[in-house]
Amino acid sequence: KVPIGGISHKAVYEKYRKLTINYIYENGQKAHESYIDSSASVGKEYNIASPSITGYVPSIKTVELVMGDEDIE
């Protein structure tokens, strides 16, 4: 806590990592732009819905994870 003008303030620091989800077809070709969050909070729960692509059904409808201490791709 740092007193400023007679008032105590508390600085809170969060740890951030990069979260990347790549959307690809079975043949390895890019299906959709990647989901990228360069400031994903460590320890936070994420639920990211897969994008809709006409004529296709995603193998994973919603990517669910808790952000770890390392970048995820």
Short mmCIF file of all heavy atoms in Angstrom, two decimals:
data_model
loop_
_atom_site.label_atom_id
_atom_site.label_comp_id
_atom_site.label_asym_id
_atom_site.label_seq_id
_atom_site.Cartn_x
_atom_site.Cartn_y
_atom_site.Cartn_z
N LYS A 1 0.85 -1.19 0.00
CA LYS A 1 0.00 0.00 0.00
C LYS A 1 0.88 1.24 0.00
O LYS A 1 1.83 1.32 0.75
CB LYS A 1 -0.91 0.00 1.23
CG LYS A 1 -1.94 -1.09 1.21
CD LYS A 1 -2.85 -0.99 2.41
CE LYS A 1 -3.86 -2.13 2.35
NZ LYS A 1 -4.79 -2.11 3.44
N VAL A 2 0.50 2.18 -0.82
CA VAL A 2 1.26 3.41 -0.94
C VAL A 2 0.35 4.57 -0.58
O VAL A 2 -0.68 4.77 -1.24
CB VAL A 2 1.78 3.59 -2.39
CG1 VAL A 2 2.57 4.87 -2.51
CG2 VAL A 2 2.63 2.39 -2.81
N PRO A 3 0.68 5.30 0.48
CA PRO A 3 -0.18 6.45 0.82
C PRO A 3 -0.01 7.58 -0.20
O PRO A 3 1.10 7.99 -0.51
CB PRO A 3 0.31 6.87 2.20
CG PRO A 3 1.68 6.31 2.35
CD PRO A 3 1.77 5.14 1.42
N ILE A 4 -1.12 8.03 -0.75
CA ILE A 4 -1.12 9.15 -1.68
C ILE A 4 -2.17 10.14 -1.18
O ILE A 4 -3.35 9.82 -1.14
CB ILE A 4 -1.47 8.69 -3.12
CG1 ILE A 4 -0.43 7.67 -3.61
CG2 ILE A 4 -1.55 9.89 -4.06
CD1 ILE A 4 -0.77 7.06 -4.95
N GLY A 5 -1.73 11.31 -0.83
CA GLY A 5 -2.64 12.34 -0.36
C GLY A 5 -3.45 11.89 0.86
O GLY A 5 -4.62 12.22 0.98
N GLY A 6 -2.84 11.12 1.76
CA GLY A 6 -3.51 10.68 2.96
C GLY A 6 -4.43 9.48 2.76
O GLY A 6 -5.09 9.03 3.68
N ILE A 7 -4.51 8.95 1.54
CA ILE A 7 -5.35 7.79 1.24
C ILE A 7 -4.44 6.62 0.86
O ILE A 7 -3.49 6.79 0.10
CB ILE A 7 -6.31 8.09 0.07
CG1 ILE A 7 -7.21 9.27 0.41
CG2 ILE A 7 -7.13 6.87 -0.28
CD1 ILE A 7 -8.05 9.75 -0.76
N SER A 8 -4.73 5.46 1.39
CA SER A 8 -3.94 4.28 1.04
C SER A 8 -4.49 3.65 -0.24
O SER A 8 -5.70 3.52 -0.41
CB SER A 8 -4.00 3.24 2.17
OG SER A 8 -3.28 3.71 3.28
N HIS A 9 -3.61 3.26 -1.13
CA HIS A 9 -3.98 2.60 -2.38
C HIS A 9 -3.24 1.28 -2.46
O HIS A 9 -2.11 1.16 -2.01
CB HIS A 9 -3.62 3.46 -3.60
CG HIS A 9 -4.36 4.74 -3.65
ND1 HIS A 9 -5.62 4.84 -4.19
CD2 HIS A 9 -4.04 5.98 -3.21
CE1 HIS A 9 -6.04 6.09 -4.09
NE2 HIS A 9 -5.09 6.80 -3.50
N LYS A 10 -3.88 0.30 -3.01
CA LYS A 10 -3.28 -1.02 -3.14
C LYS A 10 -3.16 -1.35 -4.62
O LYS A 10 -4.13 -1.31 -5.36
CB LYS A 10 -4.17 -2.06 -2.46
CG LYS A 10 -3.64 -3.47 -2.51
CD LYS A 10 -4.59 -4.41 -1.78
CE LYS A 10 -4.15 -5.84 -1.90
NZ LYS A 10 -5.11 -6.74 -1.24
N ALA A 11 -1.93 -1.65 -5.07
CA ALA A 11 -1.69 -2.03 -6.46
C ALA A 11 -1.79 -3.55 -6.55
O ALA A 11 -1.20 -4.27 -5.76
CB ALA A 11 -0.32 -1.57 -6.92
N VAL A 12 -2.56 -4.04 -7.51
CA VAL A 12 -2.71 -5.47 -7.73
C VAL A 12 -2.14 -5.80 -9.11
O VAL A 12 -2.51 -5.19 -10.10
CB VAL A 12 -4.20 -5.90 -7.67
CG1 VAL A 12 -4.34 -7.38 -7.96
CG2 VAL A 12 -4.79 -5.55 -6.32
N TYR A 13 -1.23 -6.75 -9.13
CA TYR A 13 -0.62 -7.17 -10.39
C TYR A 13 -1.15 -8.53 -10.78
O TYR A 13 -1.21 -9.44 -9.96
CB TYR A 13 0.91 -7.23 -10.25
CG TYR A 13 1.53 -5.88 -10.02
CD1 TYR A 13 1.70 -5.38 -8.73
CD2 TYR A 13 1.93 -5.10 -11.10
CE1 TYR A 13 2.26 -4.13 -8.52
CE2 TYR A 13 2.49 -3.85 -10.89
CZ TYR A 13 2.66 -3.38 -9.60
OH TYR A 13 3.21 -2.14 -9.41
N GLU A 14 -1.53 -8.68 -12.04
CA GLU A 14 -2.00 -9.96 -12.56
C GLU A 14 -0.97 -10.48 -13.54
O GLU A 14 -0.28 -9.72 -14.19
CB GLU A 14 -3.35 -9.81 -13.27
CG GLU A 14 -4.51 -9.53 -12.35
CD GLU A 14 -5.82 -9.59 -13.09
OE1 GLU A 14 -6.04 -10.56 -13.82
OE2 GLU A 14 -6.62 -8.66 -12.93
N LYS A 15 -0.92 -11.80 -13.63
CA LYS A 15 -0.01 -12.42 -14.59
C LYS A 15 -0.81 -12.80 -15.83
O LYS A 15 -1.88 -13.37 -15.72
CB LYS A 15 0.59 -13.68 -13.95
CG LYS A 15 1.77 -14.22 -14.67
CD LYS A 15 2.42 -15.30 -13.83
CE LYS A 15 3.76 -15.65 -14.40
NZ LYS A 15 4.45 -16.65 -13.59
N TYR A 16 -0.30 -12.41 -17.00
CA TYR A 16 -0.99 -12.66 -18.26
C TYR A 16 -0.17 -13.58 -19.15
O TYR A 16 1.05 -13.57 -19.11
CB TYR A 16 -1.25 -11.35 -19.01
CG TYR A 16 -2.15 -10.41 -18.28
CD1 TYR A 16 -1.64 -9.27 -17.66
CD2 TYR A 16 -3.52 -10.65 -18.21
CE1 TYR A 16 -2.49 -8.40 -16.99
CE2 TYR A 16 -4.36 -9.78 -17.54
CZ TYR A 16 -3.83 -8.66 -16.93
OH TYR A 16 -4.65 -7.80 -16.27
N ARG A 17 -0.87 -14.35 -19.96
CA ARG A 17 -0.25 -15.23 -20.94
C ARG A 17 -1.02 -15.10 -22.25
O ARG A 17 -2.10 -14.51 -22.30
CB ARG A 17 -0.30 -16.69 -20.46
CG ARG A 17 0.57 -16.96 -19.26
CD ARG A 17 2.00 -16.78 -19.63
NE ARG A 17 2.85 -17.10 -18.50
CZ ARG A 17 4.06 -16.61 -18.37
NH1 ARG A 17 4.55 -15.79 -19.26
NH2 ARG A 17 4.80 -16.95 -17.34
N LYS A 18 -0.49 -15.70 -23.30
CA LYS A 18 -1.13 -15.66 -24.62
C LYS A 18 -1.91 -16.96 -24.84
O LYS A 18 -1.37 -18.04 -24.69
CB LYS A 18 -0.09 -15.50 -25.72
CG LYS A 18 -0.69 -15.33 -27.10
CD LYS A 18 0.40 -15.06 -28.12
CE LYS A 18 -0.20 -14.85 -29.50
NZ LYS A 18 0.85 -14.61 -30.50
N LEU A 19 -3.18 -16.80 -25.20
CA LEU A 19 -4.07 -17.92 -25.50
C LEU A 19 -4.41 -17.87 -26.98
O LEU A 19 -4.93 -16.86 -27.47
CB LEU A 19 -5.34 -17.83 -24.66
CG LEU A 19 -6.50 -18.77 -25.00
CD1 LEU A 19 -6.07 -20.23 -24.88
CD2 LEU A 19 -7.69 -18.49 -24.11
N THR A 20 -4.08 -18.93 -27.72
CA THR A 20 -4.36 -19.01 -29.15
C THR A 20 -5.12 -20.30 -29.44
O THR A 20 -4.72 -21.37 -29.00
CB THR A 20 -3.06 -19.01 -29.97
OG1 THR A 20 -2.29 -17.85 -29.64
CG2 THR A 20 -3.35 -19.01 -31.47
N ILE A 21 -6.22 -20.18 -30.17
CA ILE A 21 -6.98 -21.35 -30.62
C ILE A 21 -6.99 -21.30 -32.15
O ILE A 21 -7.45 -20.31 -32.74
CB ILE A 21 -8.42 -21.35 -30.08
CG1 ILE A 21 -8.41 -21.34 -28.55
CG2 ILE A 21 -9.19 -22.55 -30.61
CD1 ILE A 21 -9.77 -21.13 -27.92
N ASN A 22 -6.45 -22.34 -32.76
CA ASN A 22 -6.41 -22.42 -34.23
C ASN A 22 -7.55 -23.31 -34.70
O ASN A 22 -7.76 -24.40 -34.16
CB ASN A 22 -5.07 -22.99 -34.69
CG ASN A 22 -3.92 -22.07 -34.32
OD1 ASN A 22 -3.97 -20.89 -34.59
ND2 ASN A 22 -2.92 -22.61 -33.68
N TYR A 23 -8.27 -22.85 -35.70
CA TYR A 23 -9.39 -23.61 -36.27
C TYR A 23 -8.95 -24.19 -37.62
O TYR A 23 -8.60 -23.43 -38.53
CB TYR A 23 -10.61 -22.70 -36.44
CG TYR A 23 -11.04 -22.07 -35.14
CD1 TYR A 23 -10.73 -20.74 -34.84
CD2 TYR A 23 -11.72 -22.82 -34.18
CE1 TYR A 23 -11.11 -20.18 -33.63
CE2 TYR A 23 -12.10 -22.25 -32.97
CZ TYR A 23 -11.79 -20.93 -32.70
OH TYR A 23 -12.15 -20.38 -31.51
N ILE A 24 -8.94 -25.51 -37.71
CA ILE A 24 -8.46 -26.16 -38.93
C ILE A 24 -9.43 -27.26 -39.37
O ILE A 24 -10.15 -27.83 -38.56
CB ILE A 24 -7.06 -26.76 -38.74
CG1 ILE A 24 -7.06 -27.78 -37.59
CG2 ILE A 24 -6.02 -25.69 -38.52
CD1 ILE A 24 -5.78 -28.57 -37.46
N TYR A 25 -9.42 -27.53 -40.69
CA TYR A 25 -10.17 -28.65 -41.23
C TYR A 25 -9.38 -29.93 -40.98
O TYR A 25 -8.19 -29.88 -40.62
CB TYR A 25 -10.40 -28.47 -42.74
CG TYR A 25 -11.29 -27.31 -43.09
CD1 TYR A 25 -10.80 -26.21 -43.78
CD2 TYR A 25 -12.64 -27.31 -42.75
CE1 TYR A 25 -11.62 -25.14 -44.12
CE2 TYR A 25 -13.47 -26.25 -43.08
CZ TYR A 25 -12.95 -25.17 -43.75
OH TYR A 25 -13.77 -24.11 -44.08
N GLU A 26 -10.02 -31.08 -41.18
CA GLU A 26 -9.37 -32.38 -40.98
C GLU A 26 -8.10 -32.52 -41.83
O GLU A 26 -7.16 -33.19 -41.43
CB GLU A 26 -10.32 -33.52 -41.29
CG GLU A 26 -11.38 -33.72 -40.24
CD GLU A 26 -12.31 -34.89 -40.56
OE1 GLU A 26 -12.29 -35.39 -41.71
OE2 GLU A 26 -13.04 -35.30 -39.66
N ASN A 27 -8.07 -31.86 -42.98
CA ASN A 27 -6.90 -31.97 -43.87
C ASN A 27 -5.77 -31.02 -43.47
O ASN A 27 -4.76 -30.93 -44.16
CB ASN A 27 -7.31 -31.73 -45.32
CG ASN A 27 -7.78 -30.31 -45.59
OD1 ASN A 27 -7.74 -29.46 -44.72
ND2 ASN A 27 -8.25 -30.08 -46.80
N GLY A 28 -5.95 -30.29 -42.37
CA GLY A 28 -4.91 -29.39 -41.88
C GLY A 28 -4.99 -27.97 -42.39
O GLY A 28 -4.26 -27.10 -41.92
N GLN A 29 -5.89 -27.70 -43.34
CA GLN A 29 -6.06 -26.35 -43.88
C GLN A 29 -6.74 -25.46 -42.85
O GLN A 29 -7.57 -25.91 -42.07
CB GLN A 29 -6.90 -26.40 -45.16
CG GLN A 29 -6.28 -27.19 -46.28
CD GLN A 29 -5.67 -26.29 -47.32
OE1 GLN A 29 -6.06 -25.16 -47.48
NE2 GLN A 29 -4.69 -26.83 -48.03
N LYS A 30 -6.42 -24.18 -42.91
CA LYS A 30 -7.03 -23.20 -42.02
C LYS A 30 -8.52 -23.08 -42.33
O LYS A 30 -8.91 -22.89 -43.47
CB LYS A 30 -6.33 -21.85 -42.22
CG LYS A 30 -6.83 -20.76 -41.33
CD LYS A 30 -6.01 -19.49 -41.60
CE LYS A 30 -6.45 -18.34 -40.75
NZ LYS A 30 -5.61 -17.16 -40.97
N ALA A 31 -9.36 -23.20 -41.29
CA ALA A 31 -10.81 -23.13 -41.48
C ALA A 31 -11.36 -21.75 -41.13
O ALA A 31 -12.39 -21.34 -41.66
CB ALA A 31 -11.48 -24.19 -40.60
N HIS A 32 -10.70 -21.06 -40.21
CA HIS A 32 -11.21 -19.78 -39.71
C HIS A 32 -10.04 -19.03 -39.08
O HIS A 32 -9.04 -19.63 -38.70
CB HIS A 32 -12.30 -20.05 -38.66
CG HIS A 32 -13.13 -18.86 -38.31
ND1 HIS A 32 -12.74 -17.95 -37.37
CD2 HIS A 32 -14.32 -18.43 -38.78
CE1 HIS A 32 -13.66 -17.01 -37.26
NE2 HIS A 32 -14.63 -17.28 -38.12
N GLU A 33 -10.20 -17.72 -38.96
CA GLU A 33 -9.17 -16.93 -38.27
C GLU A 33 -9.00 -17.46 -36.84
O GLU A 33 -9.98 -17.82 -36.18
CB GLU A 33 -9.55 -15.45 -38.23
CG GLU A 33 -9.51 -14.77 -39.57
CD GLU A 33 -8.12 -14.77 -40.18
OE1 GLU A 33 -7.13 -14.52 -39.47
OE2 GLU A 33 -8.03 -15.05 -41.39
N SER A 34 -7.79 -17.48 -36.35
CA SER A 34 -7.50 -17.96 -35.00
C SER A 34 -8.08 -17.03 -33.95
O SER A 34 -8.20 -15.82 -34.17
CB SER A 34 -5.99 -18.07 -34.79
OG SER A 34 -5.42 -19.01 -35.66
N TYR A 35 -8.43 -17.60 -32.81
CA TYR A 35 -8.82 -16.81 -31.64
C TYR A 35 -7.52 -16.52 -30.90
O TYR A 35 -6.77 -17.44 -30.57
CB TYR A 35 -9.77 -17.62 -30.74
CG TYR A 35 -10.05 -16.96 -29.42
CD1 TYR A 35 -11.14 -16.10 -29.26
CD2 TYR A 35 -9.23 -17.17 -28.32
CE1 TYR A 35 -11.40 -15.48 -28.05
CE2 TYR A 35 -9.48 -16.56 -27.10
CZ TYR A 35 -10.55 -15.72 -26.97
OH TYR A 35 -10.81 -15.11 -25.77
N ILE A 36 -7.24 -15.24 -30.66
CA ILE A 36 -6.01 -14.87 -29.95
C ILE A 36 -6.34 -13.88 -28.85
O ILE A 36 -6.98 -12.86 -29.10
CB ILE A 36 -4.97 -14.26 -30.91
CG1 ILE A 36 -4.60 -15.27 -32.00
CG2 ILE A 36 -3.73 -13.81 -30.13
CD1 ILE A 36 -3.71 -14.71 -33.09
N ASP A 37 -5.92 -14.21 -27.64
CA ASP A 37 -6.04 -13.31 -26.50
C ASP A 37 -4.64 -13.18 -25.92
O ASP A 37 -4.13 -14.10 -25.30
CB ASP A 37 -7.01 -13.87 -25.46
CG ASP A 37 -7.23 -12.93 -24.29
OD1 ASP A 37 -6.46 -11.96 -24.14
OD2 ASP A 37 -8.18 -13.16 -23.52
N SER A 38 -4.00 -12.03 -26.16
CA SER A 38 -2.62 -11.82 -25.72
C SER A 38 -2.52 -11.44 -24.25
O SER A 38 -1.43 -11.32 -23.71
CB SER A 38 -1.97 -10.73 -26.56
OG SER A 38 -1.89 -11.16 -27.90
N SER A 39 -3.66 -11.24 -23.60
CA SER A 39 -3.64 -10.87 -22.18
C SER A 39 -4.59 -11.75 -21.38
O SER A 39 -5.38 -11.27 -20.58
CB SER A 39 -3.99 -9.39 -22.01
OG SER A 39 -5.26 -9.12 -22.57
N ALA A 40 -4.48 -13.07 -21.59
CA ALA A 40 -5.31 -14.03 -20.85
C ALA A 40 -4.80 -14.11 -19.41
O ALA A 40 -3.60 -14.31 -19.18
CB ALA A 40 -5.26 -15.40 -21.52
N SER A 41 -5.69 -13.96 -18.45
CA SER A 41 -5.32 -13.96 -17.04
C SER A 41 -5.06 -15.38 -16.54
O SER A 41 -5.90 -16.27 -16.70
CB SER A 41 -6.44 -13.35 -16.19
OG SER A 41 -6.65 -12.01 -16.54
N VAL A 42 -3.90 -15.58 -15.92
CA VAL A 42 -3.55 -16.87 -15.34
C VAL A 42 -4.58 -17.21 -14.25
O VAL A 42 -4.92 -16.37 -13.42
CB VAL A 42 -2.12 -16.85 -14.76
CG1 VAL A 42 -1.82 -18.10 -13.97
CG2 VAL A 42 -1.11 -16.66 -15.89
N GLY A 43 -5.11 -18.44 -14.30
CA GLY A 43 -6.08 -18.89 -13.31
C GLY A 43 -7.53 -18.62 -13.67
O GLY A 43 -8.44 -19.11 -13.03
N LYS A 44 -7.77 -17.85 -14.75
CA LYS A 44 -9.13 -17.51 -15.15
C LYS A 44 -9.73 -18.63 -16.01
O LYS A 44 -9.03 -19.25 -16.80
CB LYS A 44 -9.14 -16.21 -15.95
CG LYS A 44 -10.53 -15.78 -16.40
CD LYS A 44 -10.49 -14.48 -17.18
CE LYS A 44 -11.88 -14.16 -17.71
NZ LYS A 44 -11.87 -12.98 -18.56
N GLU A 45 -11.03 -18.89 -15.84
CA GLU A 45 -11.75 -19.85 -16.68
C GLU A 45 -12.14 -19.20 -17.99
O GLU A 45 -12.61 -18.06 -18.01
CB GLU A 45 -13.03 -20.33 -15.99
CG GLU A 45 -12.81 -21.41 -14.99
CD GLU A 45 -14.12 -22.01 -14.49
OE1 GLU A 45 -15.09 -22.10 -15.28
OE2 GLU A 45 -14.16 -22.37 -13.32
N TYR A 46 -11.95 -19.93 -19.08
CA TYR A 46 -12.33 -19.46 -20.40
C TYR A 46 -13.26 -20.47 -21.06
O TYR A 46 -13.04 -21.68 -20.95
CB TYR A 46 -11.10 -19.25 -21.29
CG TYR A 46 -10.30 -18.03 -20.91
CD1 TYR A 46 -9.34 -18.09 -19.91
CD2 TYR A 46 -10.53 -16.80 -21.52
CE1 TYR A 46 -8.62 -16.97 -19.53
CE2 TYR A 46 -9.83 -15.69 -21.16
CZ TYR A 46 -8.86 -15.77 -20.16
OH TYR A 46 -8.16 -14.65 -19.79
N ASN A 47 -14.29 -20.00 -21.73
CA ASN A 47 -15.23 -20.81 -22.50
C ASN A 47 -15.41 -20.10 -23.84
O ASN A 47 -16.14 -19.11 -23.92
CB ASN A 47 -16.58 -20.94 -21.78
CG ASN A 47 -16.47 -21.68 -20.48
OD1 ASN A 47 -16.15 -22.86 -20.48
ND2 ASN A 47 -16.68 -21.00 -19.37
N ILE A 48 -14.72 -20.59 -24.86
CA ILE A 48 -14.74 -19.94 -26.16
C ILE A 48 -15.48 -20.83 -27.16
O ILE A 48 -15.06 -21.96 -27.43
CB ILE A 48 -13.30 -19.65 -26.66
CG1 ILE A 48 -12.60 -18.71 -25.68
CG2 ILE A 48 -13.33 -19.01 -28.04
CD1 ILE A 48 -11.53 -19.32 -24.90
N ALA A 49 -16.58 -20.32 -27.68
CA ALA A 49 -17.38 -21.07 -28.66
C ALA A 49 -16.65 -21.11 -30.00
O ALA A 49 -16.08 -20.11 -30.44
CB ALA A 49 -18.74 -20.41 -28.84
N SER A 50 -16.65 -22.29 -30.62
CA SER A 50 -16.06 -22.43 -31.96
C SER A 50 -16.92 -21.66 -32.95
O SER A 50 -18.15 -21.61 -32.82
CB SER A 50 -16.00 -23.91 -32.35
OG SER A 50 -15.09 -24.59 -31.51
N PRO A 51 -16.30 -21.05 -33.96
CA PRO A 51 -17.06 -20.28 -34.95
C PRO A 51 -17.93 -21.19 -35.83
O PRO A 51 -17.62 -22.37 -36.02
CB PRO A 51 -15.97 -19.60 -35.77
CG PRO A 51 -14.78 -20.47 -35.61
CD PRO A 51 -14.87 -21.06 -34.25
N SER A 52 -19.00 -20.62 -36.34
CA SER A 52 -19.87 -21.34 -37.27
C SER A 52 -19.28 -21.26 -38.68
O SER A 52 -18.87 -20.19 -39.13
CB SER A 52 -21.26 -20.71 -37.31
OG SER A 52 -21.88 -20.84 -36.07
N ILE A 53 -19.22 -22.41 -39.34
CA ILE A 53 -18.74 -22.47 -40.72
C ILE A 53 -19.78 -23.27 -41.50
O ILE A 53 -20.05 -24.44 -41.17
CB ILE A 53 -17.35 -23.14 -40.81
CG1 ILE A 53 -16.33 -22.33 -39.99
CG2 ILE A 53 -16.92 -23.27 -42.26
CD1 ILE A 53 -14.97 -22.96 -39.89
N THR A 54 -20.39 -22.64 -42.48
CA THR A 54 -21.45 -23.27 -43.27
C THR A 54 -21.00 -24.62 -43.83
O THR A 54 -19.93 -24.74 -44.42
CB THR A 54 -21.87 -22.34 -44.43
OG1 THR A 54 -22.28 -21.09 -43.88
CG2 THR A 54 -23.02 -22.95 -45.22
N GLY A 55 -21.83 -25.64 -43.57
CA GLY A 55 -21.55 -26.98 -44.08
C GLY A 55 -20.66 -27.83 -43.19
O GLY A 55 -20.38 -28.98 -43.52
N TYR A 56 -20.23 -27.29 -42.04
CA TYR A 56 -19.35 -28.02 -41.14
C TYR A 56 -19.86 -27.98 -39.71
O TYR A 56 -20.53 -27.03 -39.31
CB TYR A 56 -17.93 -27.45 -41.18
CG TYR A 56 -17.24 -27.67 -42.51
CD1 TYR A 56 -17.37 -26.75 -43.54
CD2 TYR A 56 -16.48 -28.81 -42.72
CE1 TYR A 56 -16.76 -26.95 -44.76
CE2 TYR A 56 -15.85 -29.03 -43.94
CZ TYR A 56 -15.99 -28.10 -44.95
OH TYR A 56 -15.38 -28.30 -46.15
N VAL A 57 -19.51 -29.02 -38.94
CA VAL A 57 -19.83 -29.08 -37.52
C VAL A 57 -18.49 -29.21 -36.78
O VAL A 57 -17.69 -30.09 -37.12
CB VAL A 57 -20.73 -30.30 -37.19
CG1 VAL A 57 -20.98 -30.40 -35.71
CG2 VAL A 57 -22.04 -30.21 -37.96
N PRO A 58 -18.24 -28.35 -35.78
CA PRO A 58 -16.94 -28.43 -35.08
C PRO A 58 -16.82 -29.70 -34.23
O PRO A 58 -17.80 -30.17 -33.67
CB PRO A 58 -16.95 -27.18 -34.20
CG PRO A 58 -18.39 -26.87 -33.98
CD PRO A 58 -19.09 -27.31 -35.24
N SER A 59 -15.62 -30.24 -34.16
CA SER A 59 -15.37 -31.41 -33.31
C SER A 59 -15.42 -31.01 -31.83
O SER A 59 -15.72 -31.83 -30.97
CB SER A 59 -14.02 -32.04 -33.64
OG SER A 59 -12.97 -31.11 -33.45
N ILE A 60 -15.13 -29.75 -31.55
CA ILE A 60 -15.23 -29.20 -30.19
C ILE A 60 -16.10 -27.95 -30.29
O ILE A 60 -15.69 -26.96 -30.90
CB ILE A 60 -13.85 -28.85 -29.61
CG1 ILE A 60 -12.96 -30.10 -29.57
CG2 ILE A 60 -13.99 -28.24 -28.23
CD1 ILE A 60 -11.52 -29.82 -29.19
N LYS A 61 -17.32 -27.99 -29.73
CA LYS A 61 -18.23 -26.85 -29.84
C LYS A 61 -17.78 -25.66 -29.01
O LYS A 61 -17.93 -24.52 -29.43
CB LYS A 61 -19.65 -27.27 -29.45
CG LYS A 61 -20.27 -28.22 -30.45
CD LYS A 61 -21.68 -28.57 -30.09
CE LYS A 61 -22.23 -29.55 -31.12
NZ LYS A 61 -23.62 -29.87 -30.90
N THR A 62 -17.26 -25.94 -27.81
CA THR A 62 -16.78 -24.88 -26.92
C THR A 62 -15.46 -25.32 -26.30
O THR A 62 -15.38 -26.41 -25.72
CB THR A 62 -17.79 -24.60 -25.79
OG1 THR A 62 -19.05 -24.24 -26.38
CG2 THR A 62 -17.32 -23.46 -24.91
N VAL A 63 -14.44 -24.50 -26.45
CA VAL A 63 -13.15 -24.78 -25.82
C VAL A 63 -13.24 -24.26 -24.39
O VAL A 63 -13.46 -23.08 -24.17
CB VAL A 63 -11.99 -24.11 -26.58
CG1 VAL A 63 -10.67 -24.34 -25.87
CG2 VAL A 63 -11.94 -24.60 -28.01
N GLU A 64 -13.10 -25.17 -23.42
CA GLU A 64 -13.19 -24.81 -22.01
C GLU A 64 -11.85 -25.09 -21.35
O GLU A 64 -11.30 -26.18 -21.50
CB GLU A 64 -14.28 -25.63 -21.33
CG GLU A 64 -15.66 -25.40 -21.92
CD GLU A 64 -16.73 -26.28 -21.30
OE1 GLU A 64 -16.40 -27.18 -20.49
OE2 GLU A 64 -17.90 -26.08 -21.64
N LEU A 65 -11.31 -24.10 -20.66
CA LEU A 65 -10.02 -24.27 -20.00
C LEU A 65 -9.84 -23.27 -18.88
O LEU A 65 -10.54 -22.27 -18.81
CB LEU A 65 -8.88 -24.14 -21.02
CG LEU A 65 -8.75 -22.78 -21.72
CD1 LEU A 65 -7.67 -21.94 -21.06
CD2 LEU A 65 -8.44 -22.96 -23.17
N VAL A 66 -8.88 -23.56 -18.01
CA VAL A 66 -8.41 -22.60 -17.02
C VAL A 66 -7.01 -22.23 -17.47
O VAL A 66 -6.16 -23.10 -17.69
CB VAL A 66 -8.39 -23.22 -15.59
CG1 VAL A 66 -7.76 -22.24 -14.61
CG2 VAL A 66 -9.79 -23.60 -15.16
N MET A 67 -6.78 -20.94 -17.64
CA MET A 67 -5.49 -20.49 -18.18
C MET A 67 -4.38 -20.84 -17.21
O MET A 67 -4.42 -20.51 -16.03
CB MET A 67 -5.53 -18.97 -18.42
CG MET A 67 -4.35 -18.45 -19.18
SD MET A 67 -4.33 -19.16 -20.84
CE MET A 67 -2.66 -18.88 -21.31
N GLY A 68 -3.38 -21.52 -17.74
CA GLY A 68 -2.23 -21.93 -16.95
C GLY A 68 -1.15 -20.87 -16.94
O GLY A 68 -1.35 -19.75 -17.39
N ASP A 69 0.00 -21.27 -16.45
CA ASP A 69 1.13 -20.34 -16.27
C ASP A 69 2.02 -20.25 -17.50
O ASP A 69 3.07 -19.64 -17.47
CB ASP A 69 1.95 -20.77 -15.05
CG ASP A 69 2.81 -19.65 -14.52
OD1 ASP A 69 2.47 -18.46 -14.74
OD2 ASP A 69 3.84 -19.94 -13.90
N GLU A 70 1.61 -20.89 -18.61
CA GLU A 70 2.37 -20.82 -19.85
C GLU A 70 1.43 -20.48 -21.00
O GLU A 70 0.24 -20.75 -20.92
CB GLU A 70 3.04 -22.17 -20.13
CG GLU A 70 4.08 -22.55 -19.09
CD GLU A 70 4.76 -23.87 -19.42
OE1 GLU A 70 4.63 -24.35 -20.56
OE2 GLU A 70 5.40 -24.42 -18.52
N ASP A 71 1.97 -19.92 -22.07
CA ASP A 71 1.18 -19.64 -23.26
C ASP A 71 0.56 -20.93 -23.77
O ASP A 71 1.16 -22.01 -23.65
CB ASP A 71 2.04 -19.04 -24.36
CG ASP A 71 2.54 -17.64 -24.02
OD1 ASP A 71 2.07 -17.04 -23.03
OD2 ASP A 71 3.44 -17.15 -24.73
N ILE A 72 -0.65 -20.85 -24.35
CA ILE A 72 -1.34 -22.00 -24.90
C ILE A 72 -1.60 -21.74 -26.37
O ILE A 72 -2.09 -20.67 -26.75
CB ILE A 72 -2.68 -22.25 -24.18
CG1 ILE A 72 -2.45 -22.63 -22.72
CG2 ILE A 72 -3.48 -23.34 -24.89
CD1 ILE A 72 -3.71 -22.79 -21.92
N GLU A 73 -1.30 -22.75 -27.20
CA GLU A 73 -1.64 -22.67 -28.64
C GLU A 73 -2.14 -24.02 -29.07
O GLU A 73 -1.64 -25.04 -28.71
CB GLU A 73 -0.44 -22.26 -29.47
CG GLU A 73 -0.80 -22.14 -30.93
CD GLU A 73 0.27 -21.49 -31.78
OE1 GLU A 73 1.32 -21.09 -31.25
OE2 GLU A 73 0.03 -21.35 -32.98
#
